[in-house]
Amino acid sequence: MRWLVLLALLVPLLTAHAQTAPGLPEDFLASRDADIPTPGDVMGFEPGTRHPRNDQIVAYFEALAAASDRVKIEVTGHTHDGRPLLLAYFGTPERLANLERLRDGRKAASRAGEGPPVIWLGYSVHGNEASGASAAAVTAWYLAAGETEEARAWRDDVVVVMEPVLNPDGLDRFAHWVNMHRGQHPSADPVDREHREAWPSGRTNYYWFDLNRDWLPLVHPESRARIPNYHRWRPHVVTDHHEMGHLTSYFFQPGVPERGNPLQPERNVELTEKLAEFHAAELDAAGEPYFTKERFDDYYVGKGSTYPDLTGGVGILFEQGSARGHLMRTPFGMRTFTDAVANQVRTSLSTVRGGHALGDELIAYQADFFRGQRQASQRERNSGWLLGDGGDPARAHRLLEILLLHDIEIRPVTGTVTIDGREHAPGSAWALPADQDHVLLLRSIFSEPTDLEMDTFYDVSAWPLQRSFGLPLARVNRLPAFGDAMASAPNAATADLPASAVAWVVPWNQYGAAPVLAALLAEGVRVQAATKPLTVITADGGRALTRGSLVIHSAIQDQDAADLRSRLQQLARRHQVEVLAATGGLAMSGPDLGSPSLPMLSAPNPALLTGEGLRPNHAGYIWHWFDTRLERPLTRIDWWRLADPFEPGRRSALDGITHLILPDGNYERLPPAVRTQVEAFVRAGGHVIAARGASKWVETLDLDWIFDGEPPERERAEQRAYGDYEGDFARELIGGTALRVVLDGSHPLAFGYADGDIATFRRGAHRLQPVTNPYSHPGRYAEEPLLAGYLSAENKQRLAGSPALAANRVGPGLVIRMADDYLFRGYWLGTERLFANALFFSGLIIETRLPNNN
């Protein structure tokens, strides 16, 4: 076969010392500054011949900065796994010597329309899209060592800010995988082990999150290190270098014309198209195929190529057809890793070339952007927004912290205000004026669209942060009196606990209550939970408590009362929770503190099912919540261990496990032995928490289900054009939409919520099958379920009034089905308590069979 002949010719090129740097101009090597080290000098191999680890890339940038005064680097933070996050700067020695002064003046310069142009190059936010990271090293070499007239002009006229690796943890996982499977004669077969990473792959960060969705919620240190620097620099152009499947060529924006963010200025689109001409010219000169107006959109503001569009810059997405290793057979011929690196270098240089040529236009656009958005708010008579803490200062702290990182101006109100029908005193409400630079970003953050013109989305269709945090927000025509702009988010005041109490009480409607309970149970403290509302007596009078509130009697503990008080004080401060001191066991109303209506809780020992076929992102949200929020360990069990008849030292992998958590995934591919083990686990008294797609799978298990009829059959489909398939599929998918769920606050799974509705985040089209037991559905979608985003008419009809959350006893066991993602991307705080309730209060759910139900 011809490809075998080509393979024989290509393999020596993979191992030989490169004669030319991939993607760089042909005259670079002859004219470069030879005193500047090459990537190969430092890393020990030429770019493209192996995959570098993050520490090797860091070492190269350190060597560049040591050898050249045209380069400066700084460590902006560290990943979850402790790897450094770098920013590198390129320019003339004189400019870099005054870098701090230039950066401090960027806000004023951006408003005034002053230069120089700032171009931000970012690479490999997905760790297994690794050509970007190697391209960063090659591009940095050119920017530091280039002596061509063009290279000198760039250093004179432009500031280049480079983020060499956005996801070091994922990059290192992928580099280890492909390098250890490379061999001396790499296979180009797409099914070769080198090209098929083991679960969860290197795409994601340490906790298996997609960092290219974290530009908005800022959950992770990689994003939190970047965004403050981004706003200090206010770049004019921002690149986001990715890879896509090996069957494709190369993509760069503008993207699908009909699927841009509706708030994106038209001038931004025009400049994106002008920059695209530079990319096209570069790739044409190299004979490389590409496309620009298909597949990828520019809609979700939390992506690296869209965020700049709503903050004064021009974001550009690049997608290289991948080699997913070192050598790949593709429809376009053999593709080496070096080929992929070369294209990423070419478009890096074309970006700087375009940014340099269009510098005056980009500078003028940025000044017009900030001025125009303020003027638009004045025309709309929008004075700004009022945000309240909703009675939970810790949740408000988290949102305020995020907004401040986004360079949003926030001012505390100085008088009592009413937001969503609830009064908020000073210290519990804040004003966000529309008269600020980032009012367009604010509009996007708080937007709740329900009538979108587009129906196809690459990612989510809505992201209202006030809904995700469950906090009250009001847009106002006139803001009340407010104080000075805040520099940091206020912490909730935590009062010193009294010297003693008959019982300590932790209201459950606080964001920090769950980690407090987790710690106490793990330490052997006896904790009760209120299953009915009550009012306790404190030194300050009566205090009404919601269901789920925790009671810790001092006298029945194994530890000294003073030590217990000290520990509770410590936990209260750490998690910003209020702890009440009950002065007696009698309640003013509701059950007394020793009542059977306040049963003792047991410490859970949960496990998370993991492995091939299950969704790493969703599993990661759960692991991250346990590890960073509850601060408790979580056993992760690969599903194949359930199919293994022998587990050393145990009867099965689930011995001692109280709760088995099933994340979203394709469960149909799991072998029958896994089904058998899960069924046996439930029948033996285990509790299963099945979320999203897993809930569909558990409905097929032999667990004595009695469903309330079958889902209605679809009518015979009308004939559709073949070309309509992709659009029809996307419309019915529910890629990411905020929905309204009505809760039964008397059910243990809804403890801590007032009766009413909450906002959940929906992905996927699965509908929970209702059971005949009328007490088993503590959460149902509202009759008008859509809060924000896109939901097709058919899906609205299917979901209206249907179960969103269900709990069913199976003998001593329990199955909890969750249709939605209550821990979505680590920032949907308003529904985290639903997951906590499933973990801590599942034992409170009793069999609900009426006497006549035999």
Side-chain angles (χ1 to χ4, degrees), residues 113-130:
E114 298 174 357
V118 178
I119 299 171
W120 183 297
L121 307 176
Y123 302 90
S124 296
V125 69
H126 296 144
N128 60 3
E129 299 174 7

Side-chain angles (χ1 to χ4, degrees), residues 48-380:
T49 60
R50 292 187 70 82
H51 283 253
R53 301 184 309 271
N54 184 69
D55 64 287
Q56 293 171 312
I57 294 173
V58 169
Y60 179 62
F61 276 82
E62 290 174 341
L64 275 184
S68 173
D69 54 6
R70 301 167 176 173
V71 184
K72 186 173 182 177
I73 63 171
E74 61 182 6
V75 175
T76 61
H78 292 82
T79 69
H80 285 294
D81 207 26
R83 293 177 175 84
L85 298 160
L86 287 192
L87 280 183
Y89 307 96
F90 301 87
T92 62
E94 296 76 20
R95 176 166 287 153
L96 294 186
N98 294 295
L99 190 69
E100 198 64 27
R101 183 161 57 86
L102 176 65
R103 180 164 49 189
D104 289 344
R106 276 296 302 143
K107 284 189 179 181
S110 70
R111 299 181 188 122
E114 298 174 357
V118 178
I119 299 171
W120 183 297
L121 307 176
Y123 302 90
S124 296
V125 69
H126 296 144
N128 60 3
E129 299 174 7
S131 58
S134 288
V138 176
T139 304
W141 180 30
Y142 180 81
L143 294 173
E147 292 293 349
T148 63
E149 181 178 347
E150 182 178 59
R152 289 196 297 269
W154 291 355
R155 290 193 293 266
D156 288 339
D157 302 335
V158 174
V159 174
V160 176
V161 183
M162 182 183 290
E163 199 172 3
V165 185
L166 277 73
N167 181 6
D169 292 347
L171 183 86
D172 278 8
R173 287 204 306 272
F174 182 66
H176 175 71
W177 179 270
V178 294
N179 286 336
M180 79 175 186
H181 291 103
R182 174 183 179 275
Q184 298 184 43
H185 302 280
S187 171
D189 193 324
V191 301
D192 180 70
R193 184 171 171 81
E194 179 188 357
H195 308 306
R196 301 285 180 171
E197 296 169 82
W199 196 94
S201 89
R203 174 184 174 88
T204 52
N205 79 337
Y206 183 85
Y207 285 107
W208 311 337
F209 279 62
D210 187 336
L211 288 178
N212 197 39
R213 308 298 186 266
D214 197 46
W215 282 67
L216 176 63
L218 304 180
V219 171
H220 300 283
E222 296 89 344
S223 307
R224 287 179 169 244
R226 177 190 317 111
I227 288 297
N229 286 286
Y230 172 92
H231 284 292
R232 291 182 70 188
W233 276 109
R234 293 198 171 182
H236 298 90
V237 181
V238 179
T239 69
D240 189 18
H241 290 261
H242 288 252
E243 291 180 7
M244 53 186 167
H246 73 282
L247 299 177
T248 50
S249 57
Y250 197 90
F251 168 86
F252 54 88
Q253 283 177 317
V256 180
E258 302 81 15
R259 286 166 47 192
N261 189 293
L263 298 179
Q264 183 181 9
E266 183 59 36
R267 180 59 175 156
N268 179 284
V269 178
E270 293 171 0
L271 288 168
T272 303
E273 291 173 342
K274 284 191 172 187
L275 288 166
E277 296 175 9
F278 289 86
H279 313 318
E282 187 75 11
L283 293 173
D284 284 342
E288 292 288 336
Y290 55 84
F291 63 102
T292 65
K293 295 183 177 66
E294 298 171 86
R295 292 188 61 175
F296 300 98
D297 65 30
D298 208 11
Y299 182 77
Y300 170 47
V301 72
K303 295 195 300 182
S305 57
T306 307
Y307 185 87
D309 296 338
L310 302 191
T311 53
V314 177
I316 305 172
L317 171 67
F318 295 111
E319 294 273 357
Q320 163 66 47
S322 184
R324 277 295 187 272
H326 295 87
L327 183 66
M328 179 79 81
R329 185 173 69 250
T330 82
F332 299 90
M334 286 295 178
R335 179 180 295 143
T336 66
F337 183 48
T338 303
D339 295 333
V341 172
N343 279 342
Q344 302 279 35
V345 171
R346 291 180 181 114
T347 52
S348 298
L349 300 186
S350 65
T351 299
V352 181
R353 185 175 298 117
H356 181 258
L358 301 174
D360 290 343
E361 293 185 59
L362 290 164
I363 291 168
Y365 163 72
Q366 192 171 73
D368 290 342
F369 174 90
F370 290 122
R371 181 172 54 253
Q373 295 307 320
R374 288 175 182 261
Q375 292 172 348
S377 292
Q378 293 169 1
R379 289 193 299 271
E380 295 171 3

Side-chain angles (χ1 to χ4, degrees), residues 419-738:
I419 309 173
D420 282 356
R422 176 174 180 163
E423 285 193 349
H424 288 76
S428 64
W430 301 270
L432 294 87
D435 186 18
Q436 61 174 291
D437 286 352
H438 290 306
V439 63
L440 189 65
L441 180 61
L442 265 179
R443 288 175 61 192
S444 176
I445 286 173
F446 294 145
S447 177
E448 298 184 16
T450 57
D451 190 20
L452 292 164
E453 294 183 5
M454 52 194 287
D455 53 22
T456 302
F457 303 87
Y458 187 77
D459 194 67
V460 298
S461 63
W463 47 90
L465 291 192
Q466 73 279 16
R467 294 289 187 179
S468 72
F469 281 78
L471 296 175
L473 179 81
R475 180 172 169 170
V476 295
N477 293 329
R478 183 174 181 178
L479 286 172
F482 50 71
D484 295 336
M486 294 163 42
S488 60
N491 286 311
T494 305
D496 288 338
L497 298 184
S500 63
V502 170
W504 304 103
V505 180
V506 180
W508 189 243
N509 56 348
Q510 303 179 89
Y511 177 60
V516 169
L517 175 57
L520 294 175
L521 292 178
E523 294 164 17
V525 176
R526 296 180 177 89
V527 183
Q528 298 162 262
T531 61
K532 297 179 181 178
L534 71 158
T535 301
V536 298
I537 303 172
T538 72
D540 298 322
R543 179 66 180 271
L545 298 172
T546 66
R547 290 179 171 91
S549 294
L550 311 176
V551 174
I552 304 102
H553 276 90
S554 299
I556 66 172
Q557 308 299 332
D558 294 334
Q559 64 191 113
D560 180 78
D563 292 340
L564 175 64
R565 175 200 171 277
S566 176
R567 179 57 172 148
L568 285 169
Q569 182 77 73
Q570 181 186 48
L571 290 170
R573 288 174 176 159
R574 176 168 180 77
H575 299 291
Q576 297 185 54
V577 299
E578 181 183 26
V579 178
L580 306 174
T583 57
L586 286 175
M588 292 181 65
S589 65
D592 297 324
L593 300 191
S595 164
S597 295
L598 281 79
M600 205 69 70
L601 298 174
S602 300
N605 182 28
L608 173 68
L609 202 65
T610 55
E612 198 67 40
L614 307 188
R615 193 177 296 276
N617 294 139
H618 193 220
Y621 305 159
I622 298 166
W623 176 30
H624 176 263
W625 183 72
F626 272 90
D627 206 36
T628 68
R629 187 66 202 127
L630 290 191
E631 299 179 345
R632 299 304 307 155
L634 174 65
T635 299
R636 290 150 293 162
I637 301 176
D638 285 339
W639 60 257
W640 61 264
R641 291 192 177 277
L642 302 191
D644 189 344
F646 176 71
E647 184 69 25
R650 307 166 76 160
R651 290 191 303 276
S652 80
L654 297 179
D655 276 5
I657 299 299
T658 60
H659 294 70
L660 179 61
I661 304 170
L662 307 180
D664 188 33
N666 181 10
Y667 283 81
E668 299 305 318
R669 66 186 299 176
L670 272 55
V674 176
R675 301 172 61 92
T676 301
Q677 284 273 4
V678 174
E679 290 166 352
F681 173 75
V682 174
R683 293 189 181 281
H687 294 187
V688 164
I689 302 173
R692 292 182 55 188
S695 63
K696 179 179 180 180
W697 180 70
V698 299
E699 291 173 353
T700 69
L701 300 182
D702 183 13
L703 293 174
D704 304 329
W705 296 107
I706 306 176
F707 293 117
D708 189 9
E710 294 299 320
E713 293 185 6
R714 292 177 180 264
E715 296 180 5
R716 183 172 181 177
E718 64 179 59
Q719 180 64 33
R720 299 281 291 166
Y722 176 80
D724 292 336
Y725 166 73
E726 289 187 1
D728 290 347
F729 180 86
R731 273 190 293 275
E732 301 306 322
L733 188 61
I734 314 183
T737 303

